[in-house]
């Protein structure tokens, strides 16, 4: 059985290539390995890795089936750990990619930025500002833009 660090390495290796065919094959191999590991150990980390790998699949943006698999995998994570920042972040980015900005904003606003690395906290502030700009006139987004500028300064 593959260990969590090994599965993380499979995902990272697949994500590191710019060749879409190799990336697809690598992500699909990682997904198969994660599913095999889940057959005997269905813990939170494996559920998250299933969603994480699905999020990184190069066909996700165009595939309703992959989007549904992402929502199912990360929804299962949130059912166990409602504060799971990365599950919410992936779901927020997926909703944003699909143009469902209010849903994306809700996911991002539910994340505690303190649970994120400095880089991901900056991306978090950026996505909240982007969602606000998609949903409201620019003049109504001053707080979100100020929060993003403050995050950039740190």
């Amino acid at each position: 059985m593959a260990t969590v660090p090994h599965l993380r390495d499979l995902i990272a290796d697949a994500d590191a290539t710019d060749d879409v065919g190799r990336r697809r094959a690598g992500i699909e191999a990682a997904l198969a390995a994660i599913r095999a590991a889940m057959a005997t150990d269905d813990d939170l980390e494996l559920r998250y890795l299933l969603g994480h790998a699905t999020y990184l699949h190069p066909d996700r943006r165009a595939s309703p089936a992959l989007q549904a698999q992402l929502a199912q995998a990360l929804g299962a994570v949130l059912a166990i750990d409602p504060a799971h920042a990365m599950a919410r972040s992936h779901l927020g980015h997926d909703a944003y990619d699909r143009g469902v900005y209010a849903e994306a904003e809700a996911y991002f606003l539910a994340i505690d930025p303190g649970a994120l690395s400095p880089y991901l906290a900056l991306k978090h502030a950026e996505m909240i500002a982007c969602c606000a700009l998609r949903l409201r006139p620019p003049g109504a987004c001053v707080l979100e833009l100020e929060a993003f500028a403050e995050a950039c300064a740190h």
Side-chain angles (χ1 to χ4, degrees), residues 14 17 19-29 57-59:
T17 183
D19 181 279
V20 175
R22 286 183 42 202
R23 181 183 184 127
R24 181 180 297 107
I27 291 293
E28 289 177 359
H57 196 292
D59 300 331

Side-chain angles (χ1 to χ4, degrees), residues 66-93:
L66 286 171
Q67 293 162 11
Q69 289 171 28
L70 175 70
Q72 181 179 12
L74 295 179
V77 170
L78 293 176
I80 296 167
D81 179 3
H84 197 288
M86 291 308 300
R88 288 193 179 282
S89 181
H90 284 330
L91 289 167
H93 278 90

Side-chain angles (χ1 to χ4, degrees), residues 24-103:
R24 181 180 297 107
I27 291 293
E28 289 177 359
L31 287 167
I34 295 164
R35 288 185 185 104
M38 289 177 75
T40 58
D41 184 12
D42 188 18
D43 76 346
L44 180 68
E45 185 67 14
L46 291 174
R47 288 175 187 232
Y48 169 71
L49 289 178
L50 182 65
H52 176 63
T54 303
Y55 176 79
L56 294 174
H57 196 292
D59 300 331
R60 173 189 51 89
R61 289 183 182 194
S63 171
L66 286 171
Q67 293 162 11
Q69 289 171 28
L70 175 70
Q72 181 179 12
L74 295 179
V77 170
L78 293 176
I80 296 167
D81 179 3
H84 197 288
M86 291 308 300
R88 288 193 179 282
S89 181
H90 284 330
L91 289 167
H93 278 90
D94 182 64
Y96 189 89
D97 292 344
R98 291 181 289 111
V100 188
Y101 304 116
E103 179 182 332

Side-chain angles (χ1 to χ4, degrees), residues 8 12-13 27 37 50 57 67 92 100-101 108 121-122 131 134 141:
R8 285 188 172 281
D13 289 347
I27 291 293
L50 182 65
H57 196 292
Q67 293 162 11
V100 188
Y101 304 116
F108 292 124
L122 174 62
C131 289
R134 291 287 191 164
C141 301

